[in-house]
Amino acid sequence: RWELADLAPNVGLKLAVLREDEVLLREPDRLSLAPGETLELEWRLGAGATISGTVSIADDGAPLAQHPVWLLPAGDAQGPFQFGVSPTASAVTDDAGRFSFEDVSPGEWKVGPGRVRGDWEMPKPDEVVALGQAVTVPDGVERVEVDLMVYRGLFIRGEVLTPDGERLSRSGWIWGHSIESGMWVNGQVTDGRFLFGPLVPGTYTLT
């Protein structure tokens, strides 16, 4: 048993159980306490299933080695894993691209490559899209195997022009919508030039 006391009321809280640098369990919902409220939670370690699998590059089938993999509830992971999203659990692939999550509760989840850059950092040329794949953990199942195929280094580059054909001398954001999947992805515009991605193959409309 453990207790957290003297917490500020009406403030969003995120709780997690860690062992050294490893996240063992994370409360998927942000918690908030009313003044004077006492909240009791029960977490059980070792009662869930194991999600394990491999992450491979779509182009050549090579393993995605030493890369973070995130686990989130399905409802929190529509489209790519956005900035500010905290995974319920995280792992790092080994040299063969394998990963595993222990003690996962039954339900609907998303598993995919985690983000590797900060909010204002430009994407790297070989970056993979941080997109989760739907995974179902049935009741009473001990292990679920997942094979993830990811795309690396797919971007849309271009310029934003004025009606006179001059490059726009401003910076900001550009949004893209995938015709096939319906997901939205944003990119940065710097001095009229934009870099949008990384992406999965498909057709996109930009706004």
Side-chain angles (χ1 to χ4, degrees), residues 106-121:
E108 302 297 324
W109 298 87
K110 287 255 180 138
V111 177
R115 301 198 73 99
V116 294
R117 56 186 167 96
D119 290 8
W120 304 107
E121 294 179 9

Side-chain angles (χ1 to χ4, degrees), residues 5-192:
D6 300 324
L7 299 174
N10 301 320
V11 175
L13 304 172
K14 290 186 176 182
L15 301 181
V17 178
L18 293 86
R19 180 173 58 198
E20 296 179 350
D21 294 331
E22 179 186 6
V23 179
L24 299 180
L25 190 65
R26 190 189 301 272
E27 179 66 28
D29 299 320
R30 187 183 295 269
L31 304 176
S32 180
L33 300 177
E37 180 182 3
T38 298
L39 178 65
E40 289 192 5
L41 296 174
E42 182 179 350
W43 288 343
R44 295 186 179 183
L45 298 177
T50 296
I51 296 179
S52 60
T54 59
V55 187
S56 304
I57 306 297
D59 291 342
D60 55 11
L64 183 64
Q66 304 302 317
H67 196 285
V69 179
W70 286 5
L71 172 75
L72 285 89
D76 293 347
Q78 302 304 316
F81 297 150
Q82 300 293 345
F83 297 120
V85 171
S86 297
T88 300
S90 61
V92 177
T93 58
D94 61 17
D95 290 340
R98 292 209 44 93
F99 68 91
S100 67
F101 296 104
E102 307 293 334
D103 198 29
V104 181
S105 301
E108 302 297 324
W109 298 87
K110 287 255 180 138
V111 177
R115 301 198 73 99
V116 294
R117 56 186 167 96
D119 290 8
W120 304 107
E121 294 179 9
M122 293 295 290
K124 299 176 176 59
D126 61 348
E127 190 171 323
V128 301
V129 59
L131 182 65
Q133 176 176 311
V135 177
T136 299
V137 177
D139 286 320
V141 171
E142 295 184 358
R143 180 174 294 273
V144 176
E145 278 288 326
V146 180
D147 290 322
L148 303 177
M149 192 69 69
V150 299
Y151 295 89
R152 165 175 274 172
L154 298 182
F155 294 89
I156 298 176
R157 305 171 190 269
E159 296 181 342
V160 181
L161 304 179
T162 68
D164 298 329
E166 300 293 329
R167 192 174 74 241
L168 191 69
S169 59
R170 289 188 294 180
S171 300
W173 294 92
I174 189 170
W175 287 87
H177 180 249
S178 169
I179 302 300
E180 290 82 5
S181 68
M183 73 178 184
W184 289 88
V185 184
N186 64 342
Q188 288 181 309
V189 179
T190 304
D191 294 329

